[in-house]
Coordinates of all heavy atoms in Angstrom, one line a residue:
W72 N -14.2 22.6 -3.4 CA -14.0 21.5 -4.3 C -14.2 20.2 -3.5 O -14.2 20.2 -2.3 CB -12.5 21.5 -4.8 CG -11.5 21.6 -3.8 CD1 -11.0 22.7 -3.2 CD2 -10.7 20.5 -3.2 NE1 -10.0 22.4 -2.3 CE2 -9.8 21.0 -2.3 CE3 -10.7 19.1 -3.4 CZ2 -9.0 20.2 -1.6 CZ3 -9.9 18.3 -2.7 CH2 -9.0 18.9 -1.8
R73 N -14.5 19.1 -4.2 CA -14.7 17.8 -3.6 C -13.6 16.9 -3.9 O -13.0 16.9 -5.0 CB -16.0 17.2 -4.1 CG -17.2 17.9 -3.6 CD -18.5 17.2 -4.2 NE -19.6 17.7 -3.4 CZ -20.2 17.0 -2.5 NH1 -19.9 15.7 -2.3 NH2 -21.2 17.5 -1.8
T74 N -13.3 16.1 -2.9 CA -12.2 15.1 -3.2 C -12.8 13.9 -4.0 O -14.0 13.7 -4.0 CB -11.7 14.5 -1.8 OG1 -12.7 13.9 -1.1 CG2 -11.1 15.6 -1.0
F75 N -12.0 13.1 -4.6 CA -12.4 11.9 -5.3 C -12.8 10.8 -4.4 O -13.4 9.8 -4.8 CB -11.3 11.4 -6.2 CG -11.1 12.3 -7.4 CD1 -9.9 13.0 -7.5 CD2 -12.1 12.5 -8.4 CE1 -9.7 13.8 -8.6 CE2 -11.9 13.3 -9.5 CZ -10.7 14.0 -9.6
G76 N -12.4 10.9 -3.1 CA -12.7 9.8 -2.2 C -11.5 9.0 -1.9 O -10.4 9.2 -2.4
R77 N -11.6 8.0 -1.1 CA -10.5 7.2 -0.7 C -10.1 6.3 -1.8 O -10.9 5.9 -2.7 CB -10.9 6.3 0.5 CG -11.1 7.2 1.8 CD -11.3 6.3 3.0 NE -11.5 7.1 4.2 CZ -10.6 7.4 5.1 NH1 -9.4 7.0 4.8 NH2 -10.8 8.1 6.1
P78 N -8.8 5.9 -1.8 CA -8.3 5.0 -2.9 C -8.5 3.5 -2.7 O -8.0 2.7 -3.5 CB -6.8 5.4 -2.9 CG -6.5 5.8 -1.6 CD -7.7 6.5 -1.0
Y79 N -9.2 3.1 -1.7 CA -9.5 1.7 -1.5 C -10.0 1.0 -2.7 O -9.6 -0.1 -3.1 CB -10.3 1.5 -0.3 CG -10.6 0.0 0.0 CD1 -9.6 -0.8 0.5 CD2 -11.8 -0.6 -0.2 CE1 -9.8 -2.2 0.7 CE2 -12.0 -1.9 0.0 CZ -11.0 -2.7 0.5 OH -11.2 -4.0 0.7
P80 N -11.0 1.5 -3.4 CA -11.5 0.8 -4.6 C -10.4 0.6 -5.7 O -10.4 -0.5 -6.3 CB -12.6 1.7 -5.2 CG -13.1 2.5 -4.0 CD -11.8 2.7 -3.2
G81 N -9.4 1.5 -5.8 CA -8.3 1.3 -6.7 C -7.4 0.1 -6.2 O -6.9 -0.6 -7.0
A82 N -7.3 0.0 -4.9 CA -6.5 -1.2 -4.4 C -7.2 -2.5 -4.6 O -6.5 -3.5 -5.0 CB -6.2 -1.0 -2.8
V83 N -8.5 -2.5 -4.5 CA -9.3 -3.7 -4.8 C -9.1 -4.1 -6.3 O -8.8 -5.2 -6.6 CB -10.8 -3.5 -4.5 CG1 -11.6 -4.7 -5.0 CG2 -10.9 -3.4 -3.0
T84 N -9.2 -3.1 -7.2 CA -9.0 -3.3 -8.6 C -7.5 -3.8 -8.9 O -7.3 -4.7 -9.7 CB -9.2 -2.0 -9.4 OG1 -10.6 -1.6 -9.2 CG2 -9.0 -2.2 -10.9
A85 N -6.6 -3.3 -8.2 CA -5.2 -3.7 -8.4 C -5.0 -5.1 -8.0 O -4.3 -5.9 -8.7 CB -4.2 -2.8 -7.6
I86 N -5.6 -5.6 -6.9 CA -5.5 -7.0 -6.5 C -6.2 -7.9 -7.5 O -5.6 -8.9 -7.8 CB -6.1 -7.1 -5.1 CG1 -5.3 -6.4 -4.0 CG2 -6.3 -8.6 -4.7 CD1 -3.9 -7.0 -3.8
Q87 N -7.3 -7.5 -8.0 CA -8.0 -8.3 -9.0 C -7.2 -8.4 -10.3 O -7.1 -9.5 -10.8 CB -9.4 -7.6 -9.3 CG -10.4 -7.7 -8.2 CD -11.6 -6.9 -8.4 OE1 -11.7 -6.0 -9.3 NE2 -12.6 -7.1 -7.6
E88 N -6.5 -7.3 -10.7 CA -5.7 -7.4 -11.9 C -4.4 -8.2 -11.6 O -3.9 -8.9 -12.5 CB -5.4 -6.0 -12.4 CG -6.6 -5.3 -12.9 CD -6.4 -3.9 -13.5 OE1 -5.2 -3.4 -13.4 OE2 -7.3 -3.3 -14.0
A89 N -3.9 -8.1 -10.4 CA -2.7 -8.9 -10.1 C -2.9 -10.4 -10.0 O -2.0 -11.2 -10.2 CB -2.1 -8.4 -8.8
Q90 N -4.2 -10.8 -9.8 CA -4.5 -12.2 -9.8 C -4.2 -12.9 -11.1 O -3.9 -14.0 -11.1 CB -6.0 -12.4 -9.4 CG -6.4 -12.1 -8.0 CD -5.7 -13.1 -7.0 OE1 -4.7 -13.7 -7.2 NE2 -6.4 -13.2 -5.8
Q91 N -4.4 -12.2 -12.2 CA -4.1 -12.8 -13.5 C -2.6 -13.2 -13.6 O -2.3 -14.3 -14.0 CB -4.5 -11.8 -14.6 CG -5.9 -11.6 -14.7 CD -6.3 -10.5 -15.7 OE1 -5.4 -10.0 -16.4 NE2 -7.6 -10.2 -15.9
T92 N -1.8 -12.3 -13.2 CA -0.3 -12.6 -13.2 C 0.0 -13.6 -12.1 O 0.8 -14.4 -12.2 CB 0.5 -11.3 -13.0 OG1 0.1 -10.4 -14.0 CG2 2.0 -11.6 -13.1
G93 N -0.7 -13.4 -11.0 CA -0.5 -14.3 -9.8 C -0.7 -15.8 -10.2 O 0.0 -16.7 -9.7
R94 N -1.7 -16.1 -11.0 CA -2.0 -17.4 -11.5 C -0.7 -18.0 -12.2 O -0.4 -19.2 -12.1 CB -3.2 -17.5 -12.3 CG -4.5 -17.5 -11.5 CD -5.7 -17.8 -12.3 NE -6.1 -16.8 -13.2 CZ -6.9 -15.8 -12.9 NH1 -7.4 -15.7 -11.7 NH2 -7.2 -14.9 -13.8
L95 N -0.1 -17.1 -13.0 CA 1.0 -17.6 -13.8 C 2.2 -17.9 -12.9 O 3.0 -18.8 -13.2 CB 1.4 -16.5 -14.8 CG 0.4 -16.3 -16.0 CD1 0.9 -15.1 -16.8 CD2 0.3 -17.6 -16.8
I96 N 2.4 -17.1 -11.9 CA 3.6 -17.3 -11.0 C 3.2 -17.9 -9.7 O 4.0 -18.0 -8.7 CB 4.3 -15.9 -10.7 CG1 3.4 -14.9 -10.1 CG2 4.9 -15.4 -12.0 CD1 4.0 -13.6 -9.7
R97 N 2.0 -18.5 -9.6 CA 1.5 -19.3 -8.5 C 1.5 -18.5 -7.2 O 1.9 -18.9 -6.2 CB 2.2 -20.6 -8.4 CG 2.0 -21.5 -9.6 CD 2.5 -22.8 -9.5 NE 3.7 -23.0 -8.5 CZ 4.4 -24.1 -8.5 NH1 4.2 -25.1 -9.3 NH2 5.4 -24.2 -7.6
L98 N 0.9 -17.3 -7.3 CA 0.7 -16.4 -6.1 C -0.8 -16.1 -6.0 O -1.4 -15.8 -7.0 CB 1.5 -15.2 -6.1 CG 3.0 -15.3 -5.9 CD1 3.7 -13.9 -6.1 CD2 3.3 -15.8 -4.6
D99 N -1.3 -16.2 -4.8 CA -2.8 -15.9 -4.6 C -2.8 -14.6 -3.8 O -2.7 -14.6 -2.6 CB -3.5 -17.0 -3.9 CG -4.9 -16.8 -3.7 OD1 -5.5 -16.0 -4.5 OD2 -5.5 -17.3 -2.7
F100 N -3.0 -13.5 -4.5 CA -3.1 -12.2 -3.8 C -4.4 -12.0 -3.1 O -5.5 -12.4 -3.6 CB -2.9 -11.0 -4.8 CG -1.6 -11.0 -5.4 CD1 -1.4 -11.4 -6.7 CD2 -0.5 -10.5 -4.7 CE1 -0.1 -11.3 -7.3 CE2 0.7 -10.4 -5.3 CZ 0.9 -10.9 -6.6
S101 N -4.4 -11.4 -1.9 CA -5.6 -11.1 -1.1 C -5.3 -9.7 -0.4 O -4.2 -9.3 -0.2 CB -6.0 -12.1 -0.1 OG -4.9 -12.3 0.8
L102 N -6.4 -9.0 -0.1 CA -6.3 -7.7 0.5 C -7.0 -7.7 1.9 O -8.2 -8.1 2.0 CB -6.9 -6.7 -0.4 CG -6.7 -5.2 -0.1 CD1 -5.2 -4.9 -0.2 CD2 -7.5 -4.3 -1.0
N103 N -6.3 -7.3 2.9 CA -6.9 -7.2 4.2 C -6.9 -5.7 4.6 O -5.9 -5.1 4.6 CB -5.9 -7.9 5.2 CG -5.9 -9.4 4.9 OD1 -6.6 -10.2 5.5 ND2 -5.0 -9.8 4.1
K104 N -8.1 -5.2 5.0 CA -8.3 -3.8 5.3 C -8.4 -3.5 6.7 O -9.1 -4.3 7.4 CB -9.5 -3.3 4.5 CG -9.7 -1.8 4.7 CD -11.0 -1.4 3.9 CE -11.3 0.1 4.2 NZ -12.6 0.5 3.6
F105 N -7.9 -2.4 7.2 CA -8.1 -1.9 8.6 C -8.2 -0.4 8.6 O -7.4 0.3 7.9 CB -6.9 -2.4 9.5 CG -7.0 -1.8 10.9 CD1 -7.9 -2.4 11.8 CD2 -6.3 -0.8 11.3 CE1 -8.1 -1.9 13.1 CE2 -6.4 -0.3 12.6 CZ -7.3 -0.8 13.5
T106 N -9.2 0.1 9.3 CA -9.4 1.5 9.5 C -9.1 1.8 11.0 O -9.8 1.3 11.8 CB -10.8 1.9 9.1 OG1 -11.0 1.6 7.7 CG2 -11.0 3.4 9.2
G107 N -8.1 2.6 11.3 CA -7.7 2.9 12.6 C -7.9 4.4 13.0 O -7.9 5.2 12.1
A108 N -8.1 4.6 14.3 CA -8.3 6.0 14.8 C -7.0 6.7 15.0 O -7.0 7.9 15.0 CB -9.1 5.9 16.1
K109 N -5.9 6.0 15.2 CA -4.6 6.6 15.5 C -3.5 5.7 15.1 O -3.7 4.5 14.8 CB -4.5 7.0 17.0 CG -4.7 5.8 17.9 CD -4.7 6.3 19.4 CE -4.8 5.0 20.2 NZ -5.3 5.2 21.5
A110 N -2.3 6.2 15.0 CA -1.1 5.5 14.5 C -0.8 4.3 15.3 O -0.5 3.2 14.7 CB 0.1 6.4 14.5
A111 N -1.0 4.3 16.6 CA -0.7 3.2 17.5 C -1.6 2.0 17.1 O -1.2 0.8 17.1 CB -0.8 3.5 18.9
D112 N -2.9 2.2 16.9 CA -3.8 1.2 16.5 C -3.4 0.5 15.2 O -3.5 -0.7 15.0 CB -5.3 1.7 16.4 CG -5.8 2.3 17.7 OD1 -5.3 1.9 18.7 OD2 -6.8 3.1 17.6
I113 N -3.0 1.4 14.2 CA -2.6 0.9 12.9 C -1.3 0.0 13.0 O -1.2 -1.0 12.5 CB -2.4 2.1 11.9 CG1 -3.8 2.7 11.7 CG2 -1.8 1.6 10.6 CD1 -3.8 4.0 11.0
A114 N -0.4 0.5 13.8 CA 0.9 -0.2 14.0 C 0.6 -1.6 14.7 O 1.2 -2.6 14.3 CB 1.9 0.6 14.8
D115 N -0.3 -1.6 15.7 CA -0.6 -2.9 16.3 C -1.2 -3.8 15.4 O -0.9 -5.0 15.4 CB -1.6 -2.6 17.5 CG -0.9 -1.9 18.7 OD1 0.4 -1.9 18.8 OD2 -1.6 -1.3 19.5
T116 N -2.1 -3.3 14.5 CA -2.7 -4.2 13.5 C -1.7 -4.8 12.5 O -1.7 -6.0 12.2 CB -3.8 -3.4 12.7 OG1 -4.8 -3.1 13.7 CG2 -4.4 -4.3 11.6
I117 N -0.7 -4.0 12.1 CA 0.3 -4.4 11.2 C 1.1 -5.5 11.9 O 1.5 -6.5 11.3 CB 1.2 -3.3 10.7 CG1 0.4 -2.3 9.8 CG2 2.4 -3.8 10.0 CD1 1.0 -1.0 9.5
R118 N 1.5 -5.3 13.2 CA 2.2 -6.4 13.9 C 1.4 -7.7 14.0 O 1.9 -8.8 13.8 CB 2.5 -5.9 15.3 CG 3.6 -4.9 15.4 CD 4.0 -4.6 16.9 NE 4.7 -3.3 17.0 CZ 4.1 -2.2 17.3 NH1 2.8 -2.1 17.5 NH2 4.8 -1.1 17.3
K119 N 0.1 -7.5 14.2 CA -0.8 -8.7 14.3 C -0.9 -9.4 12.9 O -0.8 -10.6 12.9 CB -2.2 -8.3 14.8 CG -3.1 -9.4 15.0 CD -4.4 -8.9 15.7 CE -5.6 -9.2 14.7 NZ -6.8 -8.7 15.2
W120 N -1.0 -8.6 11.9 CA -1.0 -9.2 10.5 C 0.3 -10.0 10.2 O 0.2 -11.1 9.6 CB -1.2 -8.1 9.5 CG -2.6 -7.6 9.3 CD1 -3.8 -8.2 9.8 CD2 -3.0 -6.5 8.6 NE1 -4.8 -7.4 9.4 CE2 -4.4 -6.4 8.7 CE3 -2.3 -5.5 7.9 CZ2 -5.1 -5.3 8.1 CZ3 -3.0 -4.4 7.3 CH2 -4.4 -4.4 7.4
L121 N 1.4 -9.5 10.6 CA 2.7 -10.1 10.4 C 2.7 -11.5 11.1 O 3.0 -12.5 10.5 CB 3.8 -9.3 10.8 CG 5.2 -9.9 10.6 CD1 5.5 -10.2 9.2 CD2 6.3 -9.0 11.2
A122 N 2.3 -11.5 12.4 CA 2.3 -12.7 13.2 C 1.3 -13.7 12.7 O 1.6 -14.9 12.7 CB 2.1 -12.3 14.6
E123 N 0.1 -13.3 12.4 CA -1.0 -14.2 12.2 C -1.3 -14.5 10.7 O -1.7 -15.6 10.4 CB -2.3 -13.7 12.8 CG -2.3 -13.6 14.3 CD -3.5 -12.9 14.9 OE1 -4.5 -12.6 14.1 OE2 -3.6 -12.7 16.1
K124 N -1.0 -13.6 9.8 CA -1.3 -13.8 8.4 C -0.1 -13.7 7.5 O -0.3 -13.8 6.3 CB -2.4 -12.7 8.0 CG -3.7 -12.8 8.7 CD -4.7 -11.8 8.2 CE -6.0 -12.0 9.0 NZ -7.0 -11.1 8.4

Side-chain angles (χ1 to χ4, degrees):
W72 56 277
R73 289 182 165 254
T74 61
F75 289 113
R77 292 185 181 265
Y79 180 71
V83 171
T84 301
I86 292 293
Q87 291 168 347
E88 291 180 359
Q90 287 293 27
Q91 295 175 2
T92 304
R94 282 191 287 275
L95 293 173
I96 58 175
R97 296 189 334 193
L98 288 176
D99 181 25
F100 293 104
S101 62
L102 191 62
N103 297 267
K104 181 182 178 186
F105 176 75
T106 302
K109 58 187 182 205
D112 297 340
I113 294 168
D115 289 342
T116 297
I117 291 171
R118 284 187 201 97
K119 186 172 120 181
W120 281 345
L121 178 63
E123 296 175 5
K124 298 182 179 184

